[in-house]
Amino acid sequence: EDKVVQSPLSLVVHEGDTVTLNCSYEVTNFRSLLWYKQEKKAPTFLFMLTSSGIEKKSGRLSSILDKKELSSILNITATQTGDSAIYLCAVVSGAGSYQLTFGKGTKLSVIP
Amino acid sequence: DVKVTQSSRYLVKRTGEKVFLECVQDMDHENMFWYRQDPGLGLRLIYFSYDVKMKEKGDIPEGYSVSREKKERFSLILESASTNQTSMYLCASSAAGEKTQYFGPGTRLLVL
Protein backbone atom coordinates (compact mmCIF):
# COMPACT_ATOMS: atom_id res chain seq x y z
CA GLU A 1 0.00 0.00 0.00
CA ASP A 2 1.33 3.43 -0.95
CA LYS A 3 2.20 5.66 1.97
CA VAL A 4 2.91 9.39 2.24
CA VAL A 5 4.01 10.88 5.55
CA GLN A 6 4.30 14.59 6.26
CA SER A 7 6.05 16.24 9.17
CA PRO A 8 5.54 18.13 11.29
CA LEU A 9 1.77 17.89 11.54
CA SER A 10 1.60 21.50 12.70
CA LEU A 11 3.98 24.38 13.03
CA VAL A 12 3.75 27.89 14.46
CA VAL A 13 6.29 30.51 13.38
CA HIS A 14 6.68 34.28 13.45
CA GLU A 15 6.54 36.46 10.38
CA GLY A 16 9.90 36.59 8.67
CA ASP A 17 10.97 33.11 9.76
CA THR A 18 12.02 30.44 7.27
CA VAL A 19 10.23 27.10 7.47
CA THR A 20 10.89 23.65 6.02
CA LEU A 21 8.09 21.14 5.58
CA ASN A 22 8.88 17.49 4.99
CA CYS A 23 7.25 14.77 2.95
CA SER A 24 8.44 11.17 2.71
CA TYR A 25 6.90 8.40 0.66
CA GLU A 26 6.88 4.66 0.20
CA VAL A 27 5.29 3.83 -3.13
CA THR A 28 5.74 1.35 -5.91
CA ASN A 29 6.85 2.82 -9.21
CA PHE A 30 7.08 6.49 -8.21
CA ARG A 31 6.02 8.91 -10.95
CA SER A 32 5.78 12.37 -9.41
CA LEU A 33 5.23 14.35 -6.23
CA LEU A 34 2.94 17.33 -5.89
CA TRP A 35 2.59 20.07 -3.28
CA TYR A 36 -0.69 21.85 -2.62
CA LYS A 37 -1.64 24.76 -0.37
CA GLN A 38 -5.05 24.65 1.29
CA GLU A 39 -6.41 27.74 2.96
CA LYS A 40 -10.07 27.86 3.87
CA LYS A 41 -11.36 25.75 1.03
CA ALA A 42 -9.94 24.10 -2.09
CA PRO A 43 -6.32 22.95 -2.27
CA THR A 44 -4.42 24.97 -4.84
CA PHE A 45 -1.54 23.55 -6.79
CA LEU A 46 2.00 24.73 -5.97
CA PHE A 47 4.58 22.43 -7.55
CA MET A 48 5.04 19.12 -9.27
CA LEU A 49 8.36 17.33 -9.04
CA THR A 50 9.24 14.37 -11.23
CA SER A 51 12.24 12.19 -11.63
CA SER A 52 13.51 14.54 -14.30
CA GLY A 53 12.91 17.82 -12.48
CA ILE A 54 14.00 17.70 -8.92
CA GLU A 55 13.86 21.36 -7.86
CA LYS A 56 11.20 23.99 -8.35
CA LYS A 57 11.03 27.60 -7.15
CA SER A 58 8.35 30.26 -7.16
CA GLY A 59 8.99 33.47 -5.27
CA ARG A 60 9.57 32.66 -1.62
CA LEU A 61 8.58 29.02 -2.06
CA SER A 62 10.88 26.29 -3.26
CA SER A 63 10.77 22.53 -3.26
CA ILE A 64 13.34 19.80 -3.75
CA LEU A 65 12.87 16.11 -4.48
CA ASP A 66 15.44 13.71 -3.07
CA LYS A 67 15.00 10.50 -5.02
CA LYS A 68 17.58 8.68 -2.96
CA GLU A 69 15.91 9.48 0.37
CA LEU A 70 12.39 9.12 -1.09
CA SER A 71 11.43 12.51 0.24
CA SER A 72 10.76 16.10 -0.58
CA ILE A 73 10.97 19.37 1.29
CA LEU A 74 9.00 22.56 0.82
CA ASN A 75 10.81 25.71 1.93
CA ILE A 76 9.17 29.03 2.61
CA THR A 77 11.44 31.99 3.28
CA ALA A 78 10.46 35.31 4.90
CA THR A 79 7.08 33.90 5.91
CA GLN A 80 3.99 36.12 5.93
CA THR A 81 0.63 35.70 7.66
CA GLY A 82 -0.84 34.88 4.25
CA ASP A 83 1.29 31.73 4.20
CA SER A 84 -0.85 30.30 7.01
CA ALA A 85 -2.49 27.21 5.54
CA ILE A 86 -2.40 23.44 5.41
CA TYR A 87 0.30 22.23 3.04
CA LEU A 88 -0.46 18.91 1.37
CA CYS A 89 1.97 16.55 -0.26
CA ALA A 90 0.71 13.97 -2.76
CA VAL A 91 2.41 11.25 -4.77
CA VAL A 92 1.51 9.63 -8.08
CA SER A 93 2.67 6.06 -8.53
CA GLY A 94 2.16 3.35 -11.10
CA ALA A 95 2.32 3.59 -14.87
CA GLY A 96 -0.60 5.46 -16.36
CA SER A 97 -1.99 6.25 -12.94
CA TYR A 98 -3.99 9.40 -12.34
CA GLN A 99 -4.50 8.83 -8.65
CA LEU A 100 -2.89 10.91 -5.94
CA THR A 101 -2.03 9.50 -2.54
CA PHE A 102 -2.06 12.37 -0.06
CA GLY A 103 -0.22 12.85 3.20
CA LYS A 104 -2.16 14.18 6.18
CA GLY A 105 -0.82 17.68 5.69
CA THR A 106 1.20 20.17 7.72
CA LYS A 107 -0.75 23.01 9.30
CA LEU A 108 1.39 26.14 9.23
CA SER A 109 0.42 29.15 11.32
CA VAL A 110 2.37 32.37 10.84
CA ILE A 111 1.84 34.91 13.61
CA PRO A 112 2.72 38.61 13.37
CA ASP B 1 -8.50 29.40 -15.49
CA VAL B 2 -9.67 25.96 -14.54
CA LYS B 3 -12.95 26.10 -12.72
CA VAL B 4 -14.37 23.29 -10.64
CA THR B 5 -17.65 24.02 -8.93
CA GLN B 6 -19.60 22.05 -6.36
CA SER B 7 -23.32 22.37 -5.93
CA SER B 8 -23.37 23.21 -2.23
CA ARG B 9 -20.90 24.69 0.23
CA TYR B 10 -22.76 23.45 3.30
CA LEU B 11 -25.32 20.69 3.60
CA VAL B 12 -27.22 19.26 6.57
CA LYS B 13 -28.98 15.92 6.15
CA ARG B 14 -30.61 13.35 8.40
CA THR B 15 -29.48 9.76 8.86
CA GLY B 16 -30.94 7.54 6.17
CA GLU B 17 -31.49 10.30 3.61
CA LYS B 18 -30.19 9.96 0.08
CA VAL B 19 -27.66 12.69 -0.65
CA PHE B 20 -26.41 13.95 -4.01
CA LEU B 21 -23.22 15.99 -4.29
CA GLU B 22 -22.64 17.51 -7.70
CA CYS B 23 -19.37 18.58 -9.27
CA VAL B 24 -18.93 20.39 -12.57
CA GLN B 25 -15.70 21.33 -14.35
CA ASP B 26 -15.42 23.61 -17.36
CA MET B 27 -12.02 22.58 -18.74
CA ASP B 28 -13.02 19.49 -20.71
CA HIS B 29 -10.99 17.33 -18.33
CA GLU B 30 -11.20 13.57 -18.75
CA ASN B 31 -10.45 12.65 -15.14
CA MET B 32 -12.61 13.52 -12.16
CA PHE B 33 -12.23 12.56 -8.51
CA TRP B 34 -14.14 12.61 -5.24
CA TYR B 35 -12.28 12.85 -1.93
CA ARG B 36 -13.30 13.27 1.65
CA GLN B 37 -11.14 15.19 4.08
CA ASP B 38 -11.21 14.57 7.81
CA PRO B 39 -9.02 15.99 10.59
CA GLY B 40 -6.04 13.77 11.23
CA LEU B 41 -6.77 11.59 8.21
CA GLY B 42 -6.02 13.91 5.31
CA LEU B 43 -7.62 13.51 1.89
CA ARG B 44 -8.87 10.06 1.02
CA LEU B 45 -10.02 9.04 -2.44
CA ILE B 46 -13.58 7.73 -2.64
CA TYR B 47 -14.12 7.23 -6.38
CA PHE B 48 -12.69 8.50 -9.61
CA SER B 49 -13.63 8.48 -13.26
CA TYR B 50 -11.41 8.70 -16.32
CA ASP B 51 -14.18 8.86 -18.90
CA VAL B 52 -17.90 9.29 -19.28
CA LYS B 53 -19.78 6.37 -17.74
CA MET B 54 -16.52 4.95 -16.37
CA LYS B 55 -15.82 4.76 -12.67
CA GLU B 56 -13.20 3.22 -10.42
CA LYS B 57 -13.22 2.66 -6.69
CA GLY B 58 -10.75 4.60 -4.62
CA ASP B 59 -9.56 3.79 -1.13
CA ILE B 60 -12.86 4.20 0.75
CA PRO B 61 -15.82 3.55 -1.62
CA GLU B 62 -18.07 1.85 0.93
CA GLY B 63 -21.35 3.67 1.42
CA TYR B 64 -20.91 5.77 -1.73
CA SER B 65 -21.69 5.52 -5.41
CA VAL B 66 -20.98 7.84 -8.33
CA SER B 67 -22.41 8.81 -11.67
CA ARG B 68 -20.71 10.32 -14.73
CA GLU B 69 -23.29 10.72 -17.48
CA LYS B 70 -21.61 13.78 -19.01
CA LYS B 71 -17.94 14.62 -19.27
CA GLU B 72 -18.18 17.83 -17.25
CA ARG B 73 -20.26 16.45 -14.39
CA PHE B 74 -19.39 13.91 -11.69
CA SER B 75 -21.90 13.15 -8.95
CA LEU B 76 -21.29 11.52 -5.59
CA ILE B 77 -24.25 9.72 -4.07
CA LEU B 78 -24.75 8.66 -0.49
CA GLU B 79 -27.53 6.09 -0.76
CA SER B 80 -28.38 6.19 2.95
CA ALA B 81 -26.43 8.85 4.81
CA SER B 82 -24.88 7.93 8.13
CA THR B 83 -23.31 10.10 10.82
CA ASN B 84 -19.83 8.78 10.01
CA GLN B 85 -20.18 10.35 6.59
CA THR B 86 -20.09 13.81 8.13
CA SER B 87 -17.07 15.31 6.42
CA MET B 88 -15.69 17.79 3.93
CA TYR B 89 -16.11 16.47 0.38
CA LEU B 90 -13.77 17.71 -2.32
CA CYS B 91 -14.11 17.19 -6.04
CA ALA B 92 -11.14 17.47 -8.40
CA SER B 93 -10.42 17.13 -12.11
CA SER B 94 -7.38 16.67 -14.32
CA ALA B 95 -6.66 16.42 -18.01
CA ALA B 96 -5.78 13.08 -19.57
CA GLY B 97 -2.12 12.29 -19.01
CA GLU B 98 -1.74 15.15 -16.52
CA LYS B 99 -1.01 14.55 -12.88
CA THR B 100 -2.04 17.98 -11.59
CA GLN B 101 -5.54 17.96 -10.16
CA TYR B 102 -7.67 21.07 -9.74
CA PHE B 103 -10.02 21.17 -6.80
CA GLY B 104 -13.47 22.56 -6.19
CA PRO B 105 -14.29 24.63 -3.09
CA GLY B 106 -15.62 21.64 -1.14
CA THR B 107 -18.95 20.71 0.40
CA ARG B 108 -19.13 20.47 4.15
CA LEU B 109 -21.72 17.79 4.91
CA LEU B 110 -23.24 17.28 8.34
CA VAL B 111 -25.34 14.16 8.88
CA LEU B 112 -27.51 14.30 11.99
Side-chain angles (χ1 to χ4, degrees):
Chain A
E1 186 181 323
D2 293 345
K3 195 173 168 184
V4 178
V5 177
Q6 292 185 245
S7 63
L9 289 181
S10 66
L11 192 56
V12 180
V13 300
H14 286 96
E15 267 191 317
D17 287 352
T18 292
V19 298
T20 299
L21 310 183
N22 299 284
C23 176
S24 63
Y25 56 88
E26 290 177 29
V27 301
T28 52
N29 197 10
F30 171 86
R31 307 293 286 183
S32 55
L33 184 146
L34 292 85
W35 283 98
Y36 284 84
K37 177 183 181 182
Q38 184 178 22
E39 297 174 84
K40 292 205 187 314
K41 37 188 185 178
T44 53
F45 173 74
L46 293 174
F47 298 116
M48 184 169 72
L49 301 149
T50 66
S51 296
S52 60
I54 61 172
E55 183 171 0
K56 292 285 176 73
K57 186 173 170 64
S58 175
R60 296 178 295 103
L61 277 65
S62 63
S63 183
I64 299 173
L65 176 68
D66 187 334
K67 293 179 289 179
K68 193 174 176 182
E69 296 296 324
L70 305 183
S71 64
S72 174
I73 59 170
L74 176 68
N75 272 324
I76 309 174
T77 59
T79 51
Q80 302 169 357
T81 54
D83 295 326
S84 296
I86 296 173
Y87 290 84
L88 298 167
C89 171
V91 170
V92 181
S93 60
S97 174
Y98 306 112
Q99 297 181 66
L100 298 177
T101 300
F102 280 87
K104 294 181 181 179
T106 293
K107 184 176 180 181
L108 174 65
S109 300
V110 182
I111 55 178
Chain B
D1 269 357
V2 176
K3 195 162 181 192
V4 181
T5 57
Q6 294 183 228
S7 52
S8 306
R9 293 296 309 279
Y10 300 94
L11 211 51
V12 181
K13 294 290 180 181
R14 296 207 175 273
T15 302
E17 280 193 80
K18 190 167 185 175
V19 182
F20 292 87
L21 303 182
E22 299 280 329
C23 175
V24 178
Q25 49 93 6
D26 67 357
M27 284 304 293
D28 203 35
H29 283 172
E30 286 73 17
N31 307 318
M32 296 188 75
F33 307 82
W34 274 107
Y35 296 88
R36 62 177 284 177
Q37 185 176 29
D38 302 286
L41 296 176
L43 270 79
R44 293 179 292 166
L45 181 65
I46 305 171
Y47 267 97
F48 67 101
S49 167
Y50 52 88
D51 202 353
V52 176
K53 295 195 188 292
M54 304 298 289
K55 60 184 180 185
E56 295 281 346
K57 292 180 181 179
D59 298 320
I60 49 164
E62 297 78 19
Y64 303 94
S65 62
V66 289
S67 171
R68 184 125 182 245
E69 295 297 318
K70 292 185 178 180
K71 190 175 185 181
E72 67 271 18
R73 189 180 296 269
F74 192 35
S75 303
L76 180 70
I77 303 152
L78 287 65
E79 295 289 341
S80 177
S82 62
T83 54
N84 63 11
Q85 292 178 309
T86 290
S87 187
M88 166 73 95
Y89 289 88
L90 289 162
C91 173
S93 72
S94 67
E98 294 292 325
K99 307 293 189 275
T100 306
Q101 293 181 16
Y102 297 89
F103 284 82
T107 295
R108 194 169 288 281
L109 172 67
L110 173 62
V111 182
L112 299 173

